[in-house]
Amino acid sequence: MSIFDAIGIAGTGVTVNRKWMDAVSDNLANINTATRTSDPAYEAKYVVAAEAADGKGTQVAGVVTGSAEGRRVYEPTNPLADAQGYVKYPDIDMSSQMTSLMMAQRAYQANLQTITTAKEAYTSALQLGKG
Amino acid sequence: MSIESIGGVGDVASSLGTLAAGYGQGIADTDNAQMTSAIGGGSGTTYTGSVSALAPTGISGIGTNTSVDGSSGTDFASLLSGGIDKLQGLQSTSDDLAVKAATGDLTNVHDYMIASNEAQLATQLTVAVRNKAVDAFNEIMRMQV
């Protein structure tokens, strides 16, 4: 990865943004997951990015999870409802998740564009002096 | 860098000196010994200077190209074999990921695309270096002695 550093670095960015999209996808998939009030609600996942250890690119430093408290919703018809008729829904904000999704998508595409541009640059360097 | 010094238009003389030094033979034995030794000696000294100047950057630098450049200024064969070794490594990485893609073990789609692009670029680079070297060699062979 020494000659093509730009490509490798952008590759780490693509990886991080793919994981971010995975996390958002997980959150959106579970946004309507009801649980018993005695159980913890689904915890939203938030990917934390950090600079790579070798200083080349980025990496996922860890995943922060949201609160397991959730929102208590009165749904007596839900089979998971407790004696008072309440169930728990995860505390996930749909609009902020969609915003994160768009940011992850744009960042993913930006890194892919870096790869394309770097490849074009390297290819034109190889054409040097060929007229 | 050494591509340019070999392929450069104005550097045929130093290329000749380099080649003579690299293969350790020949032109000094011919009847034109005086002129050859002057060229060979001159460019040889210059080259040693630049090699020792390059050596620290070659070792500490991140570029394989640079380190190959620094360690084998007089030996084009090791430059080429180093490049081919690197190319082989990139291609085997790409092949491994291709197998993973086929078996469904690939976690990152872009990893394979990046590896295959890198292998492709490295192949093009190696071919370009080889073509330049062959061009320079042909140029020298056409030289009237």
Short mmCIF file of all heavy atoms in Angstrom, two decimals, chain B residues 19 24 34 38 62 68 88-89 99 102 112 117 121 126-127 134 139 145:
data_model
loop_
_atom_site.label_atom_id
_atom_site.label_comp_id
_atom_site.label_asym_id
_atom_site.label_seq_id
_atom_site.Cartn_x
_atom_site.Cartn_y
_atom_site.Cartn_z
N LEU B 19 24.89 1.13 -16.94
CA LEU B 19 24.77 -0.23 -17.45
C LEU B 19 26.12 -0.93 -17.39
O LEU B 19 26.22 -2.07 -16.96
CB LEU B 19 24.26 -0.21 -18.89
CG LEU B 19 22.75 -0.08 -19.02
CD1 LEU B 19 22.37 -0.10 -20.48
CD2 LEU B 19 22.06 -1.22 -18.29
N GLY B 24 29.07 -4.89 -15.02
CA GLY B 24 30.47 -5.10 -14.67
C GLY B 24 31.30 -5.70 -15.78
O GLY B 24 32.08 -6.62 -15.57
N GLN B 34 39.91 4.47 -23.21
CA GLN B 34 40.08 5.77 -22.56
C GLN B 34 38.74 6.48 -22.39
O GLN B 34 38.37 6.87 -21.30
CB GLN B 34 40.98 6.62 -23.45
CG GLN B 34 42.22 7.08 -22.70
CD GLN B 34 43.08 7.94 -23.59
OE1 GLN B 34 42.95 7.96 -24.81
NE2 GLN B 34 43.99 8.66 -22.96
N ALA B 38 36.47 7.15 -19.01
CA ALA B 38 36.15 8.52 -18.60
C ALA B 38 34.65 8.64 -18.33
O ALA B 38 34.23 9.14 -17.29
CB ALA B 38 36.56 9.51 -19.69
N ILE B 62 8.52 6.01 2.93
CA ILE B 62 7.46 5.01 2.90
C ILE B 62 7.39 4.34 1.54
O ILE B 62 6.88 3.26 1.43
CB ILE B 62 6.10 5.64 3.26
CG1 ILE B 62 5.91 6.94 2.49
CG2 ILE B 62 5.95 5.85 4.73
CD1 ILE B 62 4.51 7.45 2.55
N VAL B 68 13.75 1.00 -3.31
CA VAL B 68 14.33 0.22 -4.39
C VAL B 68 15.31 1.10 -5.16
O VAL B 68 16.42 0.71 -5.49
CB VAL B 68 13.22 -0.31 -5.33
CG1 VAL B 68 13.82 -0.82 -6.61
CG2 VAL B 68 12.46 -1.41 -4.65
N GLN B 88 3.47 -9.05 -7.57
CA GLN B 88 2.95 -10.39 -7.26
C GLN B 88 2.16 -10.38 -5.96
O GLN B 88 1.11 -11.03 -5.86
CB GLN B 88 4.13 -11.35 -7.16
CG GLN B 88 3.74 -12.78 -7.44
CD GLN B 88 4.96 -13.63 -7.73
OE1 GLN B 88 6.09 -13.24 -7.45
NE2 GLN B 88 4.74 -14.80 -8.29
N GLY B 89 2.69 -9.62 -4.96
CA GLY B 89 1.97 -9.52 -3.70
C GLY B 89 0.59 -8.92 -3.88
O GLY B 89 -0.41 -9.43 -3.35
N VAL B 99 -11.48 -14.83 -4.60
CA VAL B 99 -12.00 -16.12 -4.10
C VAL B 99 -13.04 -15.88 -3.03
O VAL B 99 -14.11 -16.50 -3.02
CB VAL B 99 -10.83 -16.98 -3.57
CG1 VAL B 99 -11.38 -18.20 -2.85
CG2 VAL B 99 -9.92 -17.39 -4.69
N ALA B 102 -16.24 -14.83 -4.47
CA ALA B 102 -16.96 -15.94 -5.10
C ALA B 102 -17.61 -16.83 -4.06
O ALA B 102 -18.70 -17.37 -4.28
CB ALA B 102 -16.01 -16.74 -5.97
N TYR B 112 -12.25 -5.64 -2.52
CA TYR B 112 -11.82 -6.37 -3.71
C TYR B 112 -11.59 -5.43 -4.88
O TYR B 112 -10.60 -5.57 -5.61
CB TYR B 112 -12.86 -7.43 -4.08
CG TYR B 112 -12.60 -8.07 -5.42
CD1 TYR B 112 -11.35 -8.65 -5.67
CD2 TYR B 112 -13.54 -8.08 -6.43
CE1 TYR B 112 -11.08 -9.22 -6.90
CE2 TYR B 112 -13.27 -8.64 -7.65
CZ TYR B 112 -12.03 -9.21 -7.90
OH TYR B 112 -11.76 -9.76 -9.11
N ASN B 117 -7.89 -2.96 -8.48
CA ASN B 117 -7.40 -1.74 -9.12
C ASN B 117 -5.93 -1.51 -8.85
O ASN B 117 -5.18 -1.09 -9.73
CB ASN B 117 -8.21 -0.53 -8.63
CG ASN B 117 -9.41 -0.28 -9.50
OD1 ASN B 117 -9.32 -0.33 -10.71
ND2 ASN B 117 -10.54 -0.04 -8.89
N LEU B 121 -3.02 -1.25 -11.56
CA LEU B 121 -2.11 -0.11 -11.67
C LEU B 121 -0.66 -0.56 -11.55
O LEU B 121 0.21 -0.07 -12.28
CB LEU B 121 -2.44 0.91 -10.58
CG LEU B 121 -3.58 1.86 -10.87
CD1 LEU B 121 -3.96 2.61 -9.61
CD2 LEU B 121 -3.19 2.83 -11.95
N THR B 126 4.66 -1.56 -13.83
CA THR B 126 5.77 -2.46 -14.14
C THR B 126 6.01 -2.52 -15.65
O THR B 126 7.14 -2.48 -16.11
CB THR B 126 5.48 -3.86 -13.60
OG1 THR B 126 5.08 -3.75 -12.24
CG2 THR B 126 6.69 -4.74 -13.69
N VAL B 127 4.92 -2.61 -16.39
CA VAL B 127 5.06 -2.67 -17.85
C VAL B 127 5.67 -1.38 -18.37
O VAL B 127 6.53 -1.39 -19.27
CB VAL B 127 3.68 -2.95 -18.49
CG1 VAL B 127 3.73 -2.75 -19.98
CG2 VAL B 127 3.23 -4.35 -18.17
N VAL B 134 13.54 -1.02 -21.96
CA VAL B 134 13.82 -1.62 -23.27
C VAL B 134 14.08 -0.51 -24.30
O VAL B 134 15.00 -0.63 -25.13
CB VAL B 134 12.64 -2.52 -23.70
CG1 VAL B 134 12.80 -2.94 -25.14
CG2 VAL B 134 12.57 -3.73 -22.81
N GLU B 139 17.97 2.21 -27.59
CA GLU B 139 18.64 3.46 -27.94
C GLU B 139 20.15 3.29 -27.86
O GLU B 139 20.88 3.75 -28.73
CB GLU B 139 18.15 4.54 -26.97
CG GLU B 139 18.41 5.97 -27.40
CD GLU B 139 17.44 6.41 -28.48
OE1 GLU B 139 16.28 5.94 -28.48
OE2 GLU B 139 17.87 7.21 -29.32
N VAL B 145 29.37 3.46 -32.34
CA VAL B 145 30.60 3.51 -31.53
C VAL B 145 31.79 3.64 -32.47
O VAL B 145 31.86 2.94 -33.46
CB VAL B 145 30.74 2.24 -30.68
CG1 VAL B 145 31.95 2.36 -29.75
CG2 VAL B 145 29.48 2.06 -29.86
#
